[in-house]
Amino acid sequence: MNNQSQNLMTLDLEALASNLDYTKHRAGPEKRMIASIKANAYGHDVSLIAGALHEKRVDMLATGNIDDARILRACGVDTPLLLFAYATAENTVNAAKEGFISTVPNLTSAISLDAMTSVPIPVYLKIDCGLGRLGAPLSIAKDFVTKVYQLKNLKVEGIYTHVPFSDVASSPWAQGKLDQFDKLVEELESNGYSIPVTQAMGSCCVLAGLRDKSNAVCVGHALYGLSPFSSEQAPTFHDLRPVVHSISSTLIHIGHHKKGSDIATGGLYGTESAHNVGVIPLGLAMGMRAPIGNKEMVVLVKGKRCQIMAVSLEHITINLDNVENVAIGDRVTIIGRDGDESISLQELAYAWQVTPLQALMSMSGRFSVRSI
């Protein structure tokens, strides 16, 4: 048995469906739903998540990883799939041949792409409304879009932007950016450019109750029950459910240390009392970390909270002093519920002093994954 098979992440796909329905309700029934599954579905499992979203008939899936896109097609997921800006013009042409829709973030890329194909290929255009990462800035966006429309081998099927903000107090700034994007679309359409899909709002805008005139939203965080804000400030966040149901491992060793023993792992030299110590096959190599500073980090064994003594490359050592009748092979809960006790993703992230999403991403792809 390898370490990955002993370490398990379980996903609650009913929670995913509930979050999707709630997000649709918040955004408005007239909005198309683009589900972001980038970065292994935000650290969950892209195959399981995309399959569930396909069954829920979302309008489109979006990722920046063409390998993930290919896996989904091989699994029978035929939902339209948008590739966020990720590749050279040559790779974009190849992606179009495989049935994917690529993003064009600037005029230089558009011209190169147009010159490399003799068959019109579908594209989405990216506008930068303030993130400062990818896309044509709003100040030149109208010129960018009109020039791309003049290229004979590119078929514009949508334009979109990303309006992120981590503090609910920044909602007025975000609403202003949404209004500017709406104005851009209105000007383009008044000049005769028909744009099938327009999208500006993501999870933060939807949860903060903002409004726009675009006909689609692209949601990531909210689908997975993750807050897009620096703290759980938006009251609507509490209507979402975490999709990660549990993360667990298995006890592979139990050590019984008599009074006076040296336990170098926990810094207990010449212990004043006897200690029972357990080991699980989960360490730095699997994305785990030691707690920062004096933050407490615990796991659950037989419904008891057990302090983590050390995190090494491939193992975690835990204190089992308060657990009775413990045995090798018992499950150890890192996230989830065991009896009357529970540990949330937020609690683990706090011990590491990172966001819940960052905690998930550090463990992404390191576990066997199944749905409950």
Side-chain angles (χ1 to χ4, degrees):
M1 181 181 290
N2 60 35
N3 280 6
Q4 190 168 10
S5 64
Q6 295 180 87
N7 301 314
L8 177 67
M9 175 187 289
T10 60
L11 303 181
D12 184 350
L13 298 184
E14 289 187 1
L16 178 72
S18 174
N19 295 342
L20 175 62
D21 291 341
Y22 180 73
T23 305
K24 285 181 177 179
H25 170 73
R26 291 286 304 177
E30 75 284 358
K31 300 283 191 182
R32 302 185 190 190
M33 178 59 65
I34 303 172
S36 177
I37 55 168
K38 63 184 178 181
N40 194 29
Y42 286 60
H44 291 68
D45 181 90
V46 70
S47 296
L48 276 177
I49 294 295
L53 292 171
H54 170 68
E55 291 181 1
K56 289 287 289 184
R57 299 185 181 279
V58 296
D59 296 285
M60 178 175 278
L61 300 171
T63 180
N65 189 322
I66 194 169
D67 291 329
D68 282 353
R70 289 167 176 155
I71 289 171
L72 299 183
R73 287 292 185 259
C75 293
V77 176
D78 59 1
T79 304
L81 209 153
L82 172 67
L83 292 174
F84 294 129
Y86 85 104
T88 62
E90 181 179 4
N91 288 337
T92 300
V93 171
N94 292 332
K97 292 178 181 178
E98 296 181 57
F100 306 128
I101 304 170
S102 292
T103 294
V104 175
N106 55 66
L107 186 58
T108 299
S109 296
I111 293 172
S112 297
L113 182 58
D114 180 69
M116 294 188 67
T117 178
S118 58
V119 178
I121 61 175
V123 296
Y124 273 45
L125 305 184
K126 180 69 181 289
I127 308 301
D128 180 8
C129 278
L131 180 59
R133 184 173 62 194
L134 288 166
L138 269 171
S139 59
I140 63 169
K142 184 178 178 181
D143 182 63
F144 165 59
V145 175
T146 56
K147 286 182 177 178
V148 173
Y149 264 89
Q150 294 167 12
L151 300 174
K152 65 178 181 179
N153 291 323
L154 299 189
K155 180 183 178 183
V156 178
E157 294 196 347
I159 68 172
Y160 70 100
T161 189
H162 187 31
V163 183
F165 56 103
S166 60
D167 189 331
V168 175
S170 299
S171 294
W173 173 87
Q175 185 62 63
K177 295 299 181 181
L178 295 176
D179 294 342
Q180 291 177 46
F181 186 77
D182 284 342
K183 182 179 179 181
L184 168 66
V185 173
E186 289 173 350
E187 290 178 354
L188 289 167
E189 291 181 339
S190 67
N191 289 335
Y193 297 101
S194 176
I195 307 169
V197 178
T198 57
Q199 178 268 315
M201 292 209 302
S203 293
C204 48
C205 293
V206 172
L207 294 180
L210 305 188
R211 289 289 180 263
D212 71 352
K213 297 178 181 178
S214 292
N215 60 18
V217 296
C218 182
V219 179
H221 282 76
L223 287 180
Y224 308 103
L226 297 168
S227 174
F229 304 110
S230 55
S231 62
E232 297 175 17
Q233 302 165 357
T236 51
F237 172 70
H238 300 288
D239 294 299
L240 300 173
R241 295 161 51 187
V243 173
V244 173
H245 178 265
S246 67
I247 294 177
S248 62
S249 187
T250 307
L251 273 176
I252 61 170
H253 176 76
I254 298 174
H256 305 283
H257 301 277
K258 297 179 180 180
K259 178 180 178 180
S261 300
D262 290 337
I263 308 177
T265 294
L268 301 176
Y269 298 97
T271 58
E272 296 181 358
S273 60
H275 284 285
N276 293 325
V277 173
V279 179
I280 59 176
L282 184 63
L284 297 174
M286 298 289 287
M288 298 299 289
R289 310 180 188 188
I292 299 297
N294 61 353
K295 303 294 185 296
E296 183 183 52
M297 185 172 166
V298 299
V299 295
L300 302 178
V301 182
K302 290 185 171 292
K304 300 291 186 179
R305 295 174 74 88
C306 301
Q307 187 171 10
I308 288 179
M309 300 173 66
V311 180
S312 55
L313 284 176
E314 295 182 335
H315 301 99
I316 289 178
T317 306
I318 59 179
N319 188 321
L320 295 174
D321 286 347
N322 65 336
V323 185
E324 297 180 355
N325 301 317
V326 65
I328 291 173
D330 284 346
R331 295 304 293 172
V332 177
T333 300
I334 291 91
I335 293 173
R337 177 170 292 279
D338 184 354
D340 294 331
E341 292 284 353
S342 65
I343 299 173
S344 67
L345 174 61
Q346 287 77 8
E347 183 177 344
L348 178 65
Y350 178 76
W352 291 350
Q353 290 295 280
V354 298
T355 67
L357 178 58
Q358 288 169 336
L360 270 181
M361 291 311 306
S362 71
M363 299 180 284
S364 176
R366 313 291 185 91
F367 295 79
S368 296
V369 183
R370 71 183 185 203
S371 61
I372 59 171

